[in-house]
Amino acid sequence: MFEIFKKKKTEAVFAPVDGHFVALPEVADPVFAQKMMGEGFGIQPTSAEIYAPIQGTVTTIFQTKHAIGLTGRSGSEVLIHIGLDTVELNGEPFEVHVKEGQSVDEATLLVTADFEKVRAAGKAEVVLTLFTNGGESFDSLRTTELKQGDPLKK
């Protein structure tokens, strides 16, 4: 009855990949930059291994392997989107290491990406972490370099 007065639990959020932090408004795709897919952040990767940014369960693996959906322990719905317009690559540069229904945490390798192939195809290799059912903004985060597993929010 008094659900509206309960404080919403927030997930611990971790950097899914080594690289340079990118605020969503700076992402070179208007759908993401205007937050039509939700709040979140991007990372310009400096490594190929992409890990889970939250503790939860794998709910969706896109057939083209460019995106994975997760549901956090407190109900957050998170989309990991690898690159821009990479759906057009039909999964070629991505190797998925998890299965739907699998429990994950920040130490779980989700995908290995061949970013050389992504760049050769003329696609941007930014790794996006999007909270599709609401969440707080990461735009004011004052860090530039991230290591996979670095905590971003608790």
Side-chain angles (χ1 to χ4, degrees):
M1 176 173 166
F2 294 101
E3 293 292 318
I4 60 171
F5 296 111
K6 288 186 178 178
K7 189 172 184 174
K8 185 178 177 179
K9 291 182 184 177
T10 58
E11 303 283 343
V13 180
F14 305 92
V17 65
D18 295 345
H20 312 287
F21 175 81
V22 180
L24 276 187
E26 298 170 18
V27 172
D29 182 303
V31 171
F32 300 120
Q34 295 174 21
K35 303 182 182 185
M36 292 179 205
M37 296 292 295
E39 285 289 353
F41 59 91
I43 298 177
Q44 186 68 34
T46 57
S47 67
E49 295 81 25
I50 301 160
Y51 291 78
I54 61 166
Q55 297 175 351
T57 304
V58 177
T59 51
T60 308
I61 299 173
F62 286 66
Q63 186 174 358
T64 52
K65 304 177 192 175
H66 77 291
I68 293 182
L70 307 172
T71 299
R73 292 181 177 166
S74 69
S76 294
E77 294 174 2
V78 177
L79 178 68
I80 304 303
H81 193 283
I82 307 164
L84 301 179
D85 297 323
T86 50
V87 66
E88 299 168 3
L89 303 179
N90 295 315
E92 178 62 31
F94 310 116
E95 181 182 354
V96 176
H97 302 284
V98 292
K99 297 184 181 335
E100 288 183 9
Q102 180 176 335
S103 291
V104 297
D105 62 24
E106 66 276 13
T108 306
L109 179 61
L110 299 177
V111 176
T112 303
D114 184 338
F115 287 117
E116 286 185 27
K117 284 184 181 177
V118 172
R119 283 188 298 276
K123 309 297 182 192
E125 67 262 29
V126 66
V127 175
L128 299 167
T129 300
L130 304 163
F131 291 81
T132 60
N133 66 339
E136 297 176 40
S137 173
F138 289 80
D139 293 352
S140 63
L141 196 60
R142 295 288 175 230
T143 187
T144 54
E145 295 300 313
L146 293 169
K147 289 289 185 192
Q148 182 278 317
D150 283 351
L152 300 180
K153 263 191 191 181
K154 290 205 178 214

